[in-house]
Amino acid sequence: MSVRIVPTPLAARVSWPVERGGGIPEALLPAFLTTETDQLARLRDPRVLVVTTGQQPGLLGGPLYTIHKALSAVALARVLEERWRRPVVPVFWAAGDDHDFAEGNHATWLGGDGAPVTTTLRERASEAPLTPLYRELLGAEIGAVLERLAADLPPSEFREGTLSQIGRHYQPQASLAASCSGLLGEWLAPFGVVLFDPTHAAAKRAQMPSILAAIDGAGRIGERLVARHAELLTHGHDAGIAVGDGATLVMLEGKAGRDRLVQAGGDFTTRRSGERCTREQLQRIATETPERLSANVLLRPVVESALLPAVAYVAGPGELRYLTLAEAVYPVLEVPRQLPVPRWSGLLVETRVDRVLEKFKATLEELLAPGQQLEGRVVRSQLPPEAGAALAALRQVLAEQYAALAAAAATIDPTIEKPIQNLGQQALSGTQDAEKRLVNHLKKRQTTETQQIARARDALLPLGKPQERVLTAAPVLARYGPTLLSELLTAIDGWYRSALEAAPGPA
């Protein structure tokens, strides 16, 4: 394996979940996307518990952190199963109800020159209905995406197999949700991950009692959320979600697509399209066309815990923020709360990146530091000795002489001492400007070295953002194969065990 795995832990602490009653209703089993007989047997065990995570569908399997979340659920489930001596299954909630096409319509990978390449399936018009992604077909545009990926992928022993695997799932007639779930399911099945499809008819029927209860309890839920939001703000925590506007936590698919239900007197209206529904009409929809109703981001974890014996949800940083707010919903609907646990976070450092670090005697921290500090240091090392000596001497003289001036000023009039010191700082700043000009011109002459550093940084901080949030999983696996997933799981498993050893209290 020519990849070094470097953890970059999230700020949140890992804590021990608490056991609860187990078992999954037989009627819900068709919504689990697996044909593995051993996993189906485990799901049928009346003592089974689950560790869940999830993500909205993405192009070509979505960003790397989708894999990090799934393998985090595997690692945590293994630790809990060993401790509790009962089956604990990692379940990935494939959020096909989500309608955010702009988040899932693109994929980014490193091109042949090492620079990030982003390919977009297509854009959705701002006035278009917000179609859930389980009904958003890929269309003919997927062909161009796959062709671009194939053109950019370097030769490797895994290239053709991965491209064939992707092509089986990402077909024009497939939805974005189904294609992503199929690919993730194939990658993750060897590690015991079971994908759950909340848009399956069996899952939709099972969700309706919670959905209707959230509609009936909208007033109380709203009050609890406002109080919880205020409490969090007093502790300096902003969940990042607006509350107190009369909106329920339920989405109804109507003329404008997936739309938020808002209380309107004794009835409800959809926020975008203004369609009005009575409670009786919503009951009929829940009975006859339950696929039109779904939970919003704050209700989803509650519905998940109502359906499944979940003890923990493996969450990213954004989810950890709003899940603290969602706490207020569980007691209203009388649902046990699963513990939010931070996912593993990390970097995949390729050999070519390590070679750049070694060449310039740099650390990973220096490469990732803002302001292109490594380039500056490398270029400054190429300054002519006389220039460096002149800058050092000039700074020393300026510092000494302005210090003497400030001391003299204090004896003349103490009020002018500070202005003199400020003038000294301005003079020293002038030497920095002079050095910057020299360095910038040297950079133009040393483009090879600076480009090597820039490409190494692109591999870890593509588009100026964390690697795991930008780079798409499929191209990485096409380079390194399924062994990378095993290596990742080993690293993640070790991280969770270490973190739980330090966690307070027994499970």
Side-chain angles (χ1 to χ4, degrees):
M1 179 63 61
S2 52
V3 176
R4 180 163 59 97
I5 299 171
V6 179
T8 55
L10 302 180
R13 295 178 60 186
V14 178
S15 300
W16 282 102
V18 176
E19 284 189 85
R20 59 179 283 187
I24 296 172
E26 185 73 22
L28 198 56
L29 291 179
F32 288 92
L33 307 179
T34 181
T35 57
E36 301 288 332
T37 54
D38 57 338
Q39 284 299 77
L40 286 171
R42 282 161 58 80
L43 290 172
R44 284 190 167 95
D45 190 310
R47 299 175 64 245
V48 70
L49 299 173
V50 299
V51 169
T52 61
T53 191
Q55 189 61 32
Q56 79 153 73
L59 198 57
L60 307 184
L64 278 169
Y65 71 77
T66 303
I67 298 296
H68 296 172
K69 291 175 81 171
L71 295 180
S72 293
V74 174
L76 182 58
R78 287 181 177 181
V79 174
L80 296 179
E81 184 166 299
E82 292 170 10
R83 188 179 186 92
W84 294 339
R85 300 185 184 280
R86 59 190 295 186
V88 182
V89 176
V91 173
F92 189 97
W93 184 283
D97 270 320
D98 200 293
H99 59 264
D100 191 351
F101 185 63
E103 188 173 332
N105 70 345
H106 59 278
T108 300
W109 57 82
L110 300 178
D113 62 352
V117 173
T118 298
T119 298
T120 302
L121 182 67
R122 60 178 174 272
E123 301 292 348
R124 176 189 279 173
S126 58
E127 69 277 7
L130 300 180
T131 305
L133 299 185
Y134 81 96
R135 294 200 296 102
E136 183 76 52
L137 301 185
L138 294 172
E141 296 93 333
I142 191 60
V145 173
L146 298 181
E147 287 175 8
R148 180 62 191 272
L149 175 63
D152 280 347
L153 281 181
S156 79
E157 62 177 301
F158 309 108
R159 180 183 184 278
E160 298 307 317
T162 304
L163 286 174
S164 175
Q165 187 181 50
I166 295 168
R168 285 199 304 274
H169 296 287
Y170 283 82
Q171 295 280 336
Q173 69 276 14
S175 71
L176 184 56
S179 55
C180 185
S181 294
L183 186 59
L184 289 175
E186 197 167 339
W187 286 342
L188 298 170
F191 307 100
V193 177
V194 180
L195 271 74
F196 181 81
D197 179 9
T199 69
H200 190 281
K204 279 294 183 182
R205 287 192 297 270
Q207 292 173 63
M208 289 306 105
S210 297
I211 294 289
L212 293 173
I215 291 172
D216 292 336
R220 285 180 296 142
I221 289 172
E223 293 171 0
R224 293 286 189 98
L225 286 173
V226 168
R228 179 60 176 159
H229 188 265
E231 179 188 0
L232 291 171
L233 287 178
T234 62
H235 293 91
H237 180 89
D238 183 0
I241 294 180
V243 296
D245 56 359
T248 74
L249 303 186
V250 175
M251 311 290 286
L252 172 66
E253 192 175 354
K255 295 176 183 177
R258 193 166 179 252
D259 210 342
R260 186 89 170 263
L261 278 178
V262 180
Q263 298 175 85
D267 296 334
F268 301 87
T269 62
T270 51
R271 177 175 279 171
R272 295 183 78 209
S273 64
E275 297 167 73
R276 197 172 190 92
C277 297
T278 65
R279 173 61 176 78
E280 290 72 22
Q281 288 172 321
L282 290 172
Q283 177 69 57
R284 189 158 55 250
I285 290 171
T287 302
E288 299 174 0
T289 54
E291 66 275 8
R292 294 181 60 197
L293 290 167
S294 58
N296 91 324
V297 69
L298 291 178
L299 181 59
R300 180 203 53 75
V302 185
V303 170
E304 182 178 301
S305 187
L307 261 61
L308 306 174
V311 293
Y313 178 83
V314 175
E319 293 169 312
L320 291 170
R321 286 178 64 199
Y322 71 70
L323 286 172
T324 58
L325 181 60
E327 282 183 41
V329 184
Y330 290 85
V332 179
L333 300 186
E334 299 180 347
V335 174
R337 176 175 175 259
Q338 69 276 58
L339 181 71
V341 177
R343 67 168 171 83
W344 180 88
S345 172
L347 289 167
L348 303 179
V349 184
E350 297 180 82
T351 300
R352 59 193 177 99
V353 174
D354 275 331
R355 282 199 294 264
V356 172
L357 295 175
E358 183 178 354
K359 176 178 179 178
F360 297 109
K361 296 181 173 56
T363 63
L364 204 56
E365 291 72 23
E366 189 179 14
L367 176 63
L368 297 175
Q372 298 186 342
Q373 292 183 23
L374 178 55
E375 288 95 324
R377 192 257 291 171
V378 169
V379 172
R380 278 193 299 274
S381 69
Q382 303 301 314
L383 277 172
E386 58 271 22
L391 284 168
L394 184 57
R395 286 169 177 149
Q396 183 176 351
V397 168
L398 288 171
E400 291 174 351
Q401 297 305 314
Y402 268 98
L405 277 176
T411 64
I412 298 170
D413 183 350
T415 62
I416 63 172
E417 180 183 9
K418 186 65 175 177
I420 294 294
Q421 290 175 341
N422 290 339
L423 288 172
Q425 291 300 318
Q426 292 175 22
L428 286 170
S429 178
T431 67
Q432 294 172 350
D433 290 341
E435 182 181 26
K436 186 176 180 179
R437 287 177 180 246
L438 293 169
V439 167
N440 284 340
H441 281 273
L442 275 173
K443 281 183 179 180
K444 293 177 182 178
R445 292 170 50 185
Q446 295 181 298
T447 54
T448 300
E449 286 80 5
T450 55
Q451 284 180 358
Q452 287 175 346
I453 296 170
R455 289 294 173 258
R457 184 181 292 110
D458 280 342
L460 304 179
L461 207 64
L463 307 179
K465 300 175 182 178
Q467 178 196 69
E468 61 187 8
R469 301 197 66 82
V470 176
L471 294 187
T472 306
V476 178
L477 291 177
R479 289 172 64 90
Y480 298 107
T483 303
L484 177 60
L485 297 179
S486 299
E487 295 287 338
L488 266 172
L489 180 55
T490 298
I492 294 170
D493 184 89
W495 181 78
Y496 270 109
R497 290 179 187 277
S498 177
L500 287 169
E501 282 179 7

